[in-house]
Amino acid sequence: MEQKNIKVHGMHCASCEQIITKKIAKLPGVKSVSASFASETANVSFDPSQTSIEAMNETLQQYGYSFDTPKGIDHSNSSTFNTSISTNNDSSRANTQFATPITIAVFLAMIWDIGHRFYPTTIPAFPIPMDVFNPISLALSTVFLFWIGRPFLSAPLRFIRYGTAGMDTLVGIGTSVAYLYSALVLLFPTFGRLINAPEGLYFDVTIVVIGFITLGKYLEANAKRRTGDAIKKLLGLQVRTALVLRNGKEQELSIDQVIIGDLVLVRPGMKIPVDGVITEGTSSIDESMLTGEPMPVDKKSGDKVSAGTVNTNGSFTIKATGVGSDTLLAHIIKLVQESQGSKAPIQRLADKISAIFVPTVLVIAGLTLIAWLVIGSQFIPFGSALSLGIICMVGILVIACPCALGLATPTAIIVGVGKGASNGILIKNAEALEKLHRVRALIIDKTGTLTVGKPSVTKIDTQGISENEALSILYSLEKPSEHPLANSIANYAKEKGAVLNSVTNFENLPGRGVHGFIEGKEYAVGGPSLLEELGVSLPEAEDEDNHQTPIFLIQGKNILATVNISDTIKPEAKEAVLALTKAGIRVIMATGDHEGSARHVASQLGIKEYIAKALPADKLEKVKALQAEGLRVAVAGDGVNDAPALAGADVSIAMSTGTDVSIEASDITLLHGDIAKISQAIRLSRLTMRTIKQNLFWAFAYNVIGIPLSAGVLYPFFGLLLSPAFAGMAMAFSSVSVVANSLRLKTKKI
């Protein structure tokens, strides 16, 4: 299966999502598809042996849409992205600049005429005679309907041909009916006399509705572009060239020519072009665009650096480990794009409502026209009933356009995901962002999550031999091992000047320690479990109540040395736990470490619940137990042993400093393993969901109030009728208000 995030052209409204999703989903080999009007993209998962992007494109072109040819995430994307924005914006701006002054002028003329009808003695008659004004209105409305309103005009045609109704369908039918009725009455006076039509024509309705909606869409598009700032900023981080050392010569190459293993020079002030490891030199790196942290990070030989970050002062050389689409930056861009285009459960509910809403509105509008003709004509002349019926039908079709409903969720998701990315919180999908606000319990790993994850030697005690001799034996036995504790002992011994001796018959004892011979003498190094296996008594001073991890050097039945190792608690851990507790989150620490170490870390951080000696299955079992209590559970971890619990959690959080397995199994990744960002992520989720609910409330309230008014339910009693022109203006700006409310998320502190 392949997954692509593809730019879609021709999307005019939120209903376009439904059309695109349904038509693509029917193609063979398509596993899933999710279109987003807010981001104008589609996430498609498909089997390339059964279908292709080209085949999908051919299907969509029948309905007025098209796909961009998919490309990998590279430097061209940035220019393509900006060019697409610029082109679309220029066209929309030209239409808006032409239509807006005319729309405002015609709207004011409508207000003037309405005012004169209600207050004839106070407000004079409109200065332009109707026999002059009406032909001008016909000409202008023709331009508006067939040029500016082409997307709206084509929507009813697609509905007739393919049965696909969208929001533009409502506007298209409404403005077309108003135009055709007015044109028939004006151009064929006999028709007007036959139906006893009133004096008023509705060319102004066509002009004002299309004009205001065009203005609204332009303002909406400008606002939507601001929701994609995170993507644009990330794309702007990509570097086009790199200074590469090849054959002893310094060459400036296109970033596409850099390969893994190349030595790349980075000078002060330059952006790092590729992922790599420093081989020579030191510097401070500004990683704020990836992590949200303002302070530069000191880097030296052996440290990893990421593409897109900025070298602040020193010069250094890196060995490329990730280029092109394999860099962390490219991964983040892809992740954000896919996440912004994904749909939360609450959005899928809105989509279902929209899919039912549009055809329902068409039925309501038709029934309203019939009701005016059948019932209204019994009380007023048939021509007046027909005229009012048309006005009411057009008003319903215009006011009911659920653009605001369609934009309510995706715009908030886009801003929320973008804000998370700019603060070092990578959210893989919208569902995770929604679920996170309901989390009430967090199971958090100790080593590498709450602690630094780099154990260090704190103390060494010897019996019968000198410390230097013990360190040399430990150094020789632990150096071949890849265990983190063994590495810490070997590094400590090396720093103390220990001598490295030859080891014969070396044996790694998984989960217990190491064994080998030095100068014909047999030694073993390991923890309490190895002592038990060898039948050696555990020293009383080194029981499991000690928060440090003891490692023993053993010869026969004798303990020659005891090394105490401790993992440092992260500086931000205590404050992070406190923030989570204040947010109403039940924090449970789960670790494979012994009781004493677990108890010590928990007490230091104020964690009341913890599980020691926890195997991967134990962590997963705790997740299931909490879920059985009715709690939404999040799991935060960084190791392979955390993967089962991460997969079983409602929301999974991984440290970017951890293993690839844990990152792949998680919904959210915290850059640089900063656990303080867990509470920030929860707050971001709550703010995003609050914004979505606000948007949905106003979108529904707008339609609930507007449709009955447009149908004319108050007209028989109070003479009140919502003009289609006012309906068009209100509909247009309701969409803008929803997007603007979503953009408020950018200003919120998390």
Side-chain angles (χ1 to χ4, degrees):
M1 285 289 174
E2 285 191 21
Q3 186 162 339
K4 299 287 186 181
N5 184 265
I6 313 166
K7 178 75 176 177
V8 184
H9 298 285
M11 298 182 75
H12 307 296
C13 64
S15 287
C16 294
E17 299 177 353
Q18 299 297 314
I19 298 171
I20 294 168
T21 300
K22 287 180 180 178
K23 301 306 175 185
I24 297 299
K26 291 180 180 178
L27 294 176
V30 175
K31 182 182 178 182
S32 64
V33 57
S34 176
S36 170
F37 171 55
S39 61
E40 296 182 358
T41 60
N43 278 325
V44 186
S45 179
F46 65 99
D47 184 351
S49 65
Q50 297 186 54
T51 189
S52 63
I53 301 299
E54 289 72 21
M56 299 178 203
N57 196 38
E58 289 178 9
T59 299
L60 288 184
Q61 286 176 346
Q62 303 177 51
Y63 305 95
Y65 311 107
S66 62
F67 276 166
D68 264 352
T69 303
K71 299 177 181 178
I73 297 178
D74 54 28
H75 304 279
S76 65
N77 277 37
S78 178
S79 59
T80 303
F81 185 84
N82 292 324
T83 302
S84 174
I85 289 174
S86 176
T87 303
N88 295 335
N89 197 41
D90 289 344
S91 175
S92 179
R93 186 188 297 113
N95 287 346
T96 305
Q97 287 176 342
F98 172 82
T100 300
I102 298 173
T103 300
I104 293 172
V106 173
F107 184 69
L108 292 174
M110 289 174 62
I111 300 297
W112 189 327
D113 185 57
I114 293 171
H116 173 67
R117 292 183 186 184
F118 280 94
Y119 305 100
T121 57
T122 306
I123 301 175
F126 192 66
I128 303 176
M130 286 296 106
D131 58 348
V132 176
F133 184 76
N134 284 337
I136 295 174
S137 297
L138 171 62
L140 288 173
S141 62
T142 301
V143 173
F144 270 64
L145 184 63
F146 294 98
W147 176 35
I148 298 173
R150 278 178 298 176
F152 308 121
L153 193 61
S154 60
L157 299 176
R158 286 200 301 270
F159 175 61
I160 295 170
R161 186 175 179 182
Y162 302 109
T164 55
M167 298 176 214
D168 284 1
T169 308
L170 304 181
V171 177
I173 293 174
T175 53
S176 298
V177 169
Y179 174 85
L180 290 172
Y181 169 82
S182 303
L184 286 172
V185 172
L186 178 65
L187 299 176
F188 303 97
T190 305
F191 172 77
R193 288 192 295 271
L194 180 66
I195 64 170
N196 193 26
E199 291 184 12
L201 300 177
Y202 305 119
F203 293 122
D204 49 3
V205 170
T206 301
I207 295 170
V208 172
V209 168
I210 291 176
F212 275 130
I213 293 177
T214 299
L215 175 61
K217 283 184 175 288
Y218 175 73
L219 296 175
E220 175 192 307
N222 280 340
K224 278 200 312 179
R225 273 188 285 276
R226 290 174 56 199
T227 67
D229 283 349
I231 288 288
K232 286 185 282 183
K233 287 179 180 178
L234 289 170
L235 286 168
L237 291 175
Q238 295 177 316
V239 184
R240 296 184 180 276
T241 60
L243 295 175
V244 181
L245 282 175
R246 286 184 183 173
N247 302 320
K249 296 182 179 180
E250 182 180 316
Q251 305 176 50
E252 186 173 0
L253 302 177
S254 168
I255 197 66
D256 300 327
Q257 296 176 283
V258 182
I259 60 176
I260 292 176
D262 273 340
L263 294 177
V264 181
L265 300 177
V266 184
R267 296 194 173 114
M270 292 176 60
K271 288 181 181 178
I272 299 173
V274 296
D275 287 1
V277 176
I278 297 178
T279 59
E280 184 179 351
T282 60
S283 185
S284 295
I285 309 298
D286 180 359
E287 298 181 331
S288 58
M289 282 302 298
L290 293 180
T291 66
E293 300 298 326
M295 295 298 294
V297 181
D298 293 334
K299 299 284 186 177
K300 62 184 186 303
S301 180
D303 288 342
K304 295 179 180 179
V305 293
S306 300
T309 56
V310 180
N311 178 29
T312 60
N313 45 40
S315 296
F316 55 88
T317 304
I318 62 174
K319 184 177 182 180
T321 59
V323 299
S325 60
D326 294 327
T327 64
L328 174 62
L329 177 61
H331 174 71
I332 292 172
I333 292 171
K334 182 181 179 183
L335 191 64
V336 174
Q337 285 178 328
E338 291 177 353
S339 181
Q340 290 185 335
S342 64
K343 294 188 177 184
I346 195 170
Q347 184 180 346
R348 289 194 283 270
L349 174 62
D351 290 342
K352 290 179 181 178
I353 294 171
S354 295
I356 300 169
F357 191 75
V358 173
T360 301
V361 168
L362 289 172
V363 173
I364 292 173
L367 292 175
T368 300
L369 175 61
I370 294 171
W372 273 103
L373 292 177
V374 175
I375 302 172
S377 60
Q378 298 180 16
F379 303 96
I380 58 177
F382 179 82
S384 298
L386 175 62
S387 179
L388 285 170
I390 289 174
I391 281 296
C392 290
M393 182 184 73
V394 173
I396 289 172
L397 293 173
V398 173
I399 198 76
C401 283
C403 289
L405 178 62
L407 290 167
T409 299
T411 53
I413 292 292
I414 287 173
V415 176
V417 170
K419 188 173 183 66
S422 64
N423 283 275
I425 303 166
L426 300 183
I427 302 165
K428 286 187 179 181
N429 55 71
E431 187 169 355
L433 184 61
E434 177 176 339
K435 284 183 177 180
L436 191 58
H437 87 285
R438 295 190 180 130
V439 166
R440 292 296 177 267
L442 171 68
I443 297 175
I444 189 166
D445 177 50
K446 179 180 75 72
T447 307
T449 305
L450 291 170
T451 65
V452 175
K454 295 180 179 179
S456 58
V457 176
T458 59
K459 183 182 178 183
I460 179 169
D461 294 318
T462 61
Q463 299 178 31
I465 60 173
S466 68
E467 183 173 317
N468 288 338
E469 187 179 355
L471 286 174
S472 292
I473 297 170
L474 287 165
Y475 186 24
S476 305
L477 287 169
E478 295 285 49
K479 191 171 187 345
S481 175
E482 296 181 354
H483 194 279
L485 295 182
N487 291 336
S488 67
I489 293 173
N491 291 334
Y492 179 82
K494 183 180 180 181
E495 290 174 2
K496 294 293 185 179
V499 177
L500 185 63
N501 298 311
S502 175
V503 180
T504 58
N505 296 330
F506 175 83
E507 185 181 3
N508 191 18
L509 309 172
R512 294 163 292 164
V514 295
H515 172 272
F517 289 80
I518 300 176
E519 296 180 352
K521 296 179 181 179
E522 184 179 6
Y523 299 96
V525 181
S529 60
L530 184 60
L531 289 185
E532 185 179 350
E533 184 179 319
L534 298 176
V536 180
S537 300
L538 181 70
E540 292 182 7
E542 304 296 348
D543 60 26
E544 66 177 13
D545 287 331
N546 189 348
H547 69 266
Q548 301 189 77
T549 301
I551 300 295
F552 305 99
L553 172 61
I554 310 160
Q555 185 181 34
K557 299 291 183 179
N558 300 317
I559 298 176
L560 301 181
T562 302
V563 182
N564 286 318
I565 298 176
S566 179
D567 188 5
T568 307
I569 296 173
K570 289 181 177 180
E572 71 273 13
K574 189 171 184 177
E575 189 176 342
V577 171
L578 181 62
L580 288 165
T581 304
K582 286 183 177 179
I585 307 298
R586 179 178 164 187
V587 181
I588 303 107
M589 185 184 76
T591 176
D593 209 344
H594 61 77
E595 175 72 21
S597 180
R599 182 182 300 144
H600 172 74
V601 172
S603 65
Q604 290 291 104
L605 298 178
I607 297 174
K608 297 179 180 179
E609 294 182 68
Y610 66 88
I611 308 169
K613 297 182 178 179
L615 298 173
D618 298 327
K619 295 183 180 182
L620 179 58
E621 191 63 33
K622 185 62 177 177
V623 171
K624 292 179 179 179
L626 290 169
Q627 290 172 333
E629 294 178 27
L631 298 175
R632 296 291 179 96
V633 183
V635 172
D638 74 329
V640 175
N641 63 324
D642 298 313
L646 288 167
D650 295 291
V651 180
S652 49
I653 305 168
M655 310 294 122
S656 67
T657 52
T659 63
D660 291 341
V661 175
S662 64
I663 292 172
E664 287 299 320
S666 68
D667 300 311
I668 297 170
T669 301
L670 305 181
L671 293 181
H672 285 228
D674 186 355
I675 60 170
K677 296 188 182 297
I678 297 176
S679 59
Q680 291 182 359
I682 292 172
R683 176 165 170 73
L684 176 63
S685 173
R686 292 175 177 178
L687 287 171
T688 303
M689 291 308 301
R690 187 187 305 165
T691 301
I692 290 173
K693 289 174 181 177
Q694 290 170 349
N695 289 347
L696 289 173
F697 172 80
W698 289 114
F700 279 116
Y702 163 79
N703 284 294
V704 168
I705 296 170
I707 290 176
L709 288 177
S710 297
V713 295
L714 298 181
Y715 187 82
F717 309 102
F718 307 103
L720 295 176
L721 189 67
L722 185 63
S723 165
F726 284 98
M729 182 175 63
M731 189 275 286
F733 285 97
S734 69
S735 298
V736 177
S737 66
V738 164
V739 179
N741 188 48
S742 296
L743 286 170
R744 288 174 60 243
L745 271 172
K746 286 189 169 186
T747 65
K748 300 293 185 179
K749 184 179 179 180
I750 62 172

